């Protein structure tokens, strides 16, 4: 079934209200704390590390804000397109997408929050396309929501993402990590420095 893509103004207006509603729920504080704590469990080789001089402590709070905004935008598009999941799966930057995963991992809170608000968070891996472009539809909706310009520290277009992935890939391979973290050649048989020191002390 074909659906009309809602205008950025329509999406922005609705997304702003959705975001306000999310932040007003009693679950929001815990969702924010839990999502930030989860970050060091979720980090992949191709998401957060794309950020220059990445710092978990410094970058997690602003990334959480971007993730919540993205979920509000996707929810708005889903509603305004009569439930078109493909249209609602907006193009976003890889680091922001990774934080979205961290938020959605807080399943119980997300369920309680969305049920209370009568909305649905939209995110399916099989719909992701990873071809985000600056000034495209996502950016237009983001600005129309009144959130200003997306933070370019986190919002990287596909060309810059590809360039940084090439750099990361080369660095990973230099220490034995292949295919952007999908395989490695470590056997874990060699003792760690801590284990080796403990063995010396024991003798």
């Amino acid at each position: 079934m074909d659906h009309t893509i809602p205008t950025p103004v329509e999406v922005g207006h609705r997304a702003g209200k959705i975001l306000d509603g999310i932040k007003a729920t009693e679950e929001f504080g815990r969702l924010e704390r839990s999502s930030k704590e989860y970050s060091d469990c979720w980090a992949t080789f191709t998401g957060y590390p794309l950020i220059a001089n990445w710092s978990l402590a410094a970058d997690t709070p602003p990334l959480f804000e971007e993730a919540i905004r993205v979920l509000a935008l996707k929810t708005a598009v889903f509603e305004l397109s009569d439930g078109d999941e493909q249209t609602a799966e907006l193009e976003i930057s890889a680091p922001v997408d990774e934080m979205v995963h961290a938020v959605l991992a807080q399943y119980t809170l997300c369920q309680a929050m969305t049920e209370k608000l009568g909305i649905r968070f939209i995110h399916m891996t099989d719909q992701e396309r990873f071809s985000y472009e600056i000034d495209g539809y996502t950016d237009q909706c983001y600005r129309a929501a009144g959130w200003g310009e997306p933070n370019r520290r986190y919002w990287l277009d596909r060309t810059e993402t590809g360039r940084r992935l090439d750099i990361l890939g080369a660095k990973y391979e230099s220490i034995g990590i292949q295919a952007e973290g999908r395989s490695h050649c470590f056997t874990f048989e060699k003792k760690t420095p801590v284990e080796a020191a403990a063995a010396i002390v024991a003798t």
Side-chain angles (χ1 to χ4, degrees):
M1 176 171 30
D2 293 331
H3 295 289
T4 301
I5 298 176
T7 68
V9 171
E10 292 174 314
V11 174
H13 179 72
R14 178 61 183 137
K17 292 184 177 300
I18 290 171
L19 184 64
D20 289 343
I22 290 171
K23 290 186 173 182
T25 63
E26 61 182 299
E27 292 85 5
F28 181 75
R30 186 180 175 197
L31 179 69
E32 183 174 16
R33 291 192 303 273
S34 300
S35 299
K36 290 176 180 178
E37 290 172 0
Y38 187 72
S39 298
D40 57 355
C41 299
W42 180 252
T44 67
F45 290 86
T46 58
Y48 295 149
L50 290 171
I51 299 170
N53 299 307
W54 158 249
S55 164
L56 184 67
D59 289 310
T60 296
L63 269 174
F64 173 79
E65 181 67 23
E66 297 301 330
I68 293 296
R69 289 174 176 179
V70 162
L71 287 169
L73 287 172
K74 288 184 176 184
T75 299
V77 174
F78 186 74
E79 291 179 1
L80 293 168
S81 63
D82 296 323
D84 186 340
E85 183 184 3
Q86 186 172 13
T87 299
E89 192 57 65
L90 299 176
E91 299 289 355
I92 64 175
S93 178
V96 177
D97 182 67
E98 189 158 330
M99 192 69 203
V100 169
H101 292 174
V103 172
L104 293 178
Q106 316 313 314
Y107 179 77
T108 304
L109 286 173
C110 288
Q111 283 285 90
M113 179 182 293
T114 54
E115 182 177 349
K116 182 178 295 184
L117 295 173
I119 61 175
R120 181 183 297 180
F121 284 162
I122 304 302
H123 190 83
M124 282 297 297
T125 302
D126 64 0
Q127 295 292 331
E128 293 180 311
R129 298 177 291 278
F130 298 109
S131 55
Y132 167 75
E133 294 285 5
I134 292 173
D135 295 329
Y137 182 67
T138 301
D139 279 12
Q140 293 170 37
C141 293
Y142 188 105
R143 295 187 191 107
W147 303 329
E149 187 71 14
N151 188 332
R152 295 305 167 202
R153 175 167 174 75
Y154 310 115
W155 287 86
L156 310 170
D157 68 15
R158 62 178 176 179
T159 300
E160 181 62 14
T161 295
R163 188 184 75 83
R164 295 189 185 191
L165 283 174
D166 287 343
I167 294 171
L168 284 174
K171 291 183 180 295
Y172 292 151
E173 289 182 10
S174 73
I175 57 172
I177 298 175
Q178 290 94 36
E180 297 175 345
R182 296 177 183 87
S183 67
H184 64 64
C185 56
F186 306 147
T187 64
F188 300 102
E189 294 176 358
K190 183 178 179 180
K191 285 183 170 57
T192 67
V194 172
E195 290 172 327
I200 293 173
V201 171
T203 58

